């Protein structure tokens, strides 16, 4: 898997503790603990990545592990090797077979910095439960 040409890359040997913000697409294959905000951009979580952070992005593609809530104003793509532990708030969601989610999923109209506009109320019970999807 190759990152797009205009994408910043954080390699698998890099560990970051703290806050990441930016105005460009990011391919992350290392470890991050803290917060990550790319409100107008795309985040790709590589297969070696382990993120322990709340994420606010436009779009996200997950191949690796994410422990934290994901808020995406655009699209969330969970590939077959994805492991997500946390809530997902997004406008569009794509889940490949064998992807793992532990948390609540709310597909509405997610907007950065605001709540999702959703039609019916969502229960507190996990949509998919624990385990593999």
């Amino acid at each position: 898997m190759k990152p797009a040409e205009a994408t910043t890359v954080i390699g698998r040997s890099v560990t970051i503790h703290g806050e990441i913000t930016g105005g460009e697409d990011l391919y992350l294959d290392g470890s991050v603990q803290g917060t990550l905000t790319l409100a107008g951009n795309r985040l790709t979580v590589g297969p070696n990545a382990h993120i322990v952070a709340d994420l606010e992005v436009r779009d996200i593609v997950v191949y690796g592990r994410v422990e934290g809530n994901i808020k995406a104003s655009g699209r969330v793509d969970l590939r077959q090797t994805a492991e997500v532990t946390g809530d997902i708030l997004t406008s569009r969601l794509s889940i490949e077979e064998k992807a793992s989610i532990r948390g609540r999923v709310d597909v509405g109209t997610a907007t950065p910095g605001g709540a999702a506009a959703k039609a019916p109320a969502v229960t507190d019970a996990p949509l998919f439960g624990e385990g593999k999807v």
Side-chain angles (χ1 to χ4, degrees):
M1 159 181 33
K2 270 186 158 172
E5 196 169 301
T7 301
T8 299
V9 176
I10 296 177
R12 66 180 171 184
S13 66
V14 177
T15 300
I16 298 173
H17 295 276
E19 180 180 338
I20 298 174
T21 59
E24 58 192 79
D25 294 348
L26 176 64
Y27 177 89
L28 199 153
D29 208 24
S31 297
V32 172
Q33 291 183 1
T35 60
L36 197 151
T37 304
L38 301 171
N41 299 93
R42 175 187 188 109
L43 171 65
T44 302
V45 179
N48 301 300
H50 182 203
I51 298 176
V52 180
D54 286 333
L55 310 174
E56 185 174 332
V57 297
R58 183 192 70 215
D59 300 311
I60 183 170
V61 179
V62 181
Y63 292 91
R65 294 185 345 200
V66 174
E67 296 177 40
N69 298 323
I70 298 173
K71 183 185 214 179
S73 59
R75 181 178 183 91
V76 174
D77 289 320
L78 303 180
R79 301 304 169 105
Q80 65 182 357
T81 55
E83 295 178 31
V84 176
T85 303
D87 297 343
I88 298 174
L89 174 63
T90 186
S91 298
R92 294 178 293 160
L93 177 65
S94 171
I95 306 170
E96 288 186 354
E97 190 173 346
K98 297 185 181 179
S100 173
I101 304 172
R102 290 193 180 105
R104 293 185 299 158
V105 176
D106 187 352
V107 180
T109 311
T111 56
K118 51 190 171 184
V122 175
T123 66
D124 286 335
L127 181 62
F128 296 108
E130 293 189 11
K132 300 287 182 184
V133 173

